[in-house]
Amino acid sequence: MATGDRAGATVRWTAPDGTRHSGRASVDQGLKAGSRVTVWIDQRGHLAAAPPTAAQAEVDAAFMGAASSVAVVAAAAAGYYGARVVLDRRRRGTWETEWQEIGSLWGRAAS
């Protein structure tokens, strides 16, 4: 599991409740056995991924903000065009009815 300047290694840690655990984690290459490393654990005491850096969190927030904006604009546009289609159909139906009435007043059928 070597990626760049990191390698997989077996690590051991003591949980807050005093139990000892071990697992595999990505550590800096070149460390000697017994070196101290920082690992992240979840509420159950299992290894977890490190939290995102400030830069990663900013990128995620910017992406989610942009995606939300696009979704709101798309929903508004779909609503606008949907309402327009419905209203245009209703308007055409009303015009058709009026043309039929006016045509009968003129003594001929409207085409």
Side-chain angles (χ1 to χ4, degrees), residues 6-7 20 30-31 43 60 96:
R6 314 258 318 151
R20 295 176 126 319
L31 289 176
Q43 294 86 356
D60 288 349
E96 179 65 30

Side-chain angles (χ1 to χ4, degrees), residues 14-82:
T14 303
D17 64 2
T19 59
R20 295 176 126 319
H21 299 275
S22 67
R24 299 228 6 119
S26 179
V27 299
D28 292 333
Q29 281 186 349
L31 289 176
K32 295 185 172 133
S35 297
R36 290 189 175 265
V37 296
T38 300
V39 295
W40 294 91
I41 58 173
D42 59 18
Q43 294 86 356
R44 295 170 292 173
H46 299 121
L47 283 174
T53 64
Q56 290 169 330
E58 287 174 9
V59 169
D60 288 349
F63 175 76
M64 291 306 292
S68 298
S69 298
V70 168
V72 167
V73 168
Y80 169 79
Y81 286 111

Side-chain angles (χ1 to χ4, degrees), residues 85-95:
V85 165
V86 169
L87 293 173
D88 283 347
R89 281 186 189 162
R90 183 178 294 168
R91 188 172 27 249
R92 275 189 235 115
T94 303
W95 286 346

